[in-house]
Amino acid sequence: MVFSYDEYEEDIYEDYNELIEEEKISKREALARNFYDYDMLAKKSETDKAMIFVIFSEIAVSHVKILHSFKDYLEKNLTELDFKIIQQENKLTPQQYSDLASRKERVLQKLKNMSLDYFPRACWYYVELVEEVQKFINNFKLENENTDSIVTTVLQRFGRDCENTKSEKFIVYTTLAENLYNQGLTGVDGIEDVKHVLQSFSFKDVSDEQLTEEEQEKLADRIKSVLSNLSRST
């Protein structure tokens, strides 16, 4: 398979976004799975390697964090790129060659400033999952006048994530509970189950997962607050 300069970028981003939209997975998991598909192509030539590693590095630096080992791998391969060989391979126009070299330098600098993730399992980050659950709930309300099934629908959508880590489970349930309270939906089916899950929260459940200490404390405060609000409304 042969890719041109523009085709690499178009195809990689298309595959990456398709994984996110169709399989409903986190950006981190989509990046890992997409990179696996292209990693072998990087061995075809120095030009292919440069295009693949620059593009995936640009995607990586758009995320909240980066897995420390993946960051090291990207930096190592970017640093080792030989642009004299790329020039000799003559697969790029002079403009593309110059553009790729500039992009490589820019993304290397951005990688150095990325927040690191040491949790090995592919998962959602705190802010990203809160936003994703909120977006899903907003779309549900726009499309459905009857909200009786909101709890079941939300938990079905994020069922895989709730089973992935306890952090993700409590983020999903907390964001759902906050929306039920804020929108006056404290009488819908399933709300007691949501409350029961949140009442079981303990710091030790999430202490060795992907959340920072600050995020753990923020989540705990949100859980305490929404349970207090729900108890007063029922």
Side-chain angles (χ1 to χ4, degrees):
M1 189 178 296
V2 178
F3 288 90
S4 70
Y5 185 80
D6 294 329
E7 285 172 337
Y8 258 124
E9 185 148 20
E10 181 179 338
D11 284 16
I12 288 173
Y13 271 94
E14 183 178 323
D15 292 343
Y16 167 73
N17 289 320
E18 190 174 277
L19 282 169
I20 292 172
E21 293 299 322
E22 295 188 3
E23 300 203 24
K24 309 299 183 186
I25 60 178
S26 66
K27 292 178 181 179
R28 175 180 162 179
E29 184 174 353
L31 176 60
R33 286 171 56 175
N34 198 22
F35 182 77
Y36 178 82
D37 292 337
Y38 283 88
D39 195 25
M40 288 300 295
L41 288 174
K43 297 174 173 61
K44 289 178 58 179
S45 72
E46 196 72 3
T47 305
D48 288 271
K49 179 181 177 181
M51 290 189 288
I52 287 170
F53 275 89
V54 166
I55 294 167
F56 275 102
S57 296
E58 289 173 339
I59 294 174
V61 299
S62 72
H63 292 183
V64 175
K65 297 179 185 178
I66 185 170
L67 185 65
H68 70 101
S69 56
F70 188 50
K71 173 180 178 286
D72 292 343
Y73 185 63
L74 292 176
E75 286 183 325
K76 179 178 182 294
N77 281 275
L78 287 171
T79 303
E80 292 177 351
L81 288 173
D82 191 330
F83 273 79
K84 289 183 179 178
I85 294 177
I86 293 173
Q87 195 168 37
Q88 292 168 4
E89 288 174 345
N90 200 31
K91 292 185 176 184
L92 304 177
T93 66
Q95 179 59 44
Q96 289 171 340
Y97 175 88
S98 176
D99 179 60
L100 190 61
S102 297
R103 289 169 67 182
K104 171 216 160 184
E105 293 302 323
R106 286 197 299 270
V107 81
L108 261 176
Q109 290 303 312
K110 291 180 180 179
L111 278 170
K112 292 176 181 178
N113 297 322
M114 284 288 291
S115 296
L116 298 182
D117 177 15
Y118 293 91
F119 189 64
R121 190 183 307 168
C123 56
W124 288 87
Y125 293 125
Y126 182 88
V127 173
E128 291 176 339
L129 185 52
V130 171
E131 292 176 351
E132 189 68 16
V133 175
Q134 186 66 60
K135 182 174 72 173
F136 183 82
I137 292 173
N138 290 342
N139 288 338
F140 175 88
K141 287 208 66 187
L142 286 173
E143 297 170 2
N144 297 272
E145 290 185 11
N146 188 337
T147 56
D148 289 343
S149 65
I150 187 170
V151 171
T152 302
T153 304
V154 171
L155 295 182
Q156 283 178 341
R157 158 63 184 88
F158 295 97
R160 178 177 180 268
D161 309 302
C162 288
E163 293 178 359
N164 190 39
T165 67
K166 290 183 179 179
S167 298
E168 287 164 287
K169 178 178 180 178
F170 283 113
I171 292 170
V172 170
Y173 275 78
T174 302
T175 308
L176 172 57
E178 289 171 340
N179 275 269
L180 296 177
Y181 173 75
N182 291 336
Q183 297 173 28
L185 301 176
T186 55
V188 297
D189 295 338
I191 193 167
E192 289 302 319
D193 292 333
V194 173
K195 288 164 62 177
H196 179 73
V197 168
L198 293 180
Q199 287 164 350
S200 73
F201 173 79
S202 169
F203 271 106
K204 70 178 187 322
D205 292 330
V206 299
S207 61
D208 60 350
E209 295 184 337
Q210 72 268 35
L211 301 183
T212 64
E213 289 186 7
E214 181 180 353
E215 289 168 340
Q216 292 173 34
E217 291 173 0
K218 185 173 183 179
L219 180 61
D221 287 343
R222 289 173 65 199
I223 291 172
K224 181 179 179 181
S225 177
V226 76
L227 284 174
S228 175
N229 289 334
L230 288 173
S231 68
R232 289 200 302 268
S233 66
T234 56

